[in-house]
Structure formats: structure tokens, C-alpha cells
Amino acid sequence: MRKTIALAATLAVAPLSAWAEGKTHHVALHVDQNDPHVLNMALNNAKNLTQYYAEQGDEVVIEMVTYGPGLHMLIEGKTPVKDRIETLSLELPITFSACGNTIANIEKKTGAPVTLLEEAQVVPSGAARLVELQEEGYSYLRP
């Protein structure tokens, strides 16, 4: 009899748990190297996290912050991962942030404007952006 009552209680509550919303995870990915292996690993991390949390019934919000040599990931004509960024930006809940300080330093050194991929957004400082994201509760990853 106890098993029947327990089963009935479980079945009564089961539909409610199906309606429960999953958790939303926030992840800041830090890219500061111009190494194709590292750039691909960062993109793999984003894709794998999204898949993992989807399987758990959760969501993930990712911001990939690039600065220093890592900015090359988002520079038109210099990035070895342009096609992957274009594809993943359509598939994943991801934002690509480019450091304004690094852009200014490159432009000052080369005398030419830096053209970013259209998926990129400029933030004033990549390092400061990572601090802000962590202060907002984002988990920090560096591939």
C-alpha cells in the first residue's frame, strides 16, 4: 500500500517538475593567445558547454572576451576560425567581445584601422570586461 501511495504521489508531482525551468549558467571565456589550437579549443568549450547544459535541461549564456594576441580571433583576414565563428554565432547563445584597448594599440602601431568580424562587439577593455562579468556571477574559463 505504501508503494502505491508513493507511486501516486510521484506521478502527481511529475508533471509539475516537467514544467520547472532549468537553470541558466553564465560563462566568460577568456582568449588572449593567437594560437589556432587555443582558438579552436575556446570554440569547442562554448559548443560543448551549450550541448552539456541543454542535455541537463539548462541554458548557458557565453561571452568570449578577446584581448592582446587573442584579438586576432576576431580580426577579419587574420582569424583562422572565421568560418567556425560564423556558424557557432548562429547556433549558440554566444557574444564575441573585442578589447578596445588592443584595437587602439594595433591601430596606433600599424597606422591602419582594424576590421573586425561582424559577429564581434567592441568593449572598452577586455580585462575590465572579464572582471565585470565575474562580478555579475559569470564563471570564468580560460582554454
Side-chain angles (χ1 to χ4, degrees):
M1 181 71 165
R2 283 186 183 168
K3 288 182 182 179
T4 305
I5 293 171
L7 179 60
T10 301
L11 292 174
V13 175
L16 296 176
S17 64
W19 290 66
E21 291 185 28
K23 182 176 181 181
T24 300
H25 304 270
H26 295 82
V27 179
L29 273 162
H30 173 186
V31 178
D32 64 354
Q33 298 178 52
N34 185 20
D35 175 346
H37 177 74
V38 172
L39 303 181
N40 277 296
M41 189 179 343
L43 294 171
N44 290 344
N45 287 168
K47 185 173 182 176
N48 292 340
L49 283 167
T50 302
Q51 287 176 325
Y52 173 81
Y53 285 122
E55 291 169 3
Q56 307 304 312
D58 292 350
E59 295 181 3
V60 65
V61 174
I62 301 168
E63 185 163 339
M64 193 167 299
V65 180
T66 65
Y67 66 79
L71 182 72
H72 284 83
M73 177 183 213
L74 301 177
I75 297 177
E76 184 69 55
K78 294 191 178 196
T79 178
V81 292
K82 177 181 179 174
D83 292 341
R84 287 199 69 202
I85 289 172
E86 289 175 349
T87 301
L88 292 178
S89 69
L90 298 173
E91 297 174 355
L92 306 180
I94 189 166
T95 302
F96 294 94
S97 295
C99 176
N101 288 333
T102 302
I103 293 168
N105 287 335
I106 292 172
E107 290 177 344
K108 182 177 178 182
K109 183 177 180 179
T110 65
V114 171
T115 303
L116 299 175
L117 300 178
E118 65 181 57
E119 293 81 8
Q121 69 174 11
V122 177
V123 295
S125 165
R129 182 64 184 150
L130 286 168
V131 170
E132 292 166 358
L133 291 171
Q134 289 177 81
E135 289 173 346
E136 293 173 15
Y138 277 63
S139 297
Y140 169 86
L141 287 178
R142 183 172 182 258

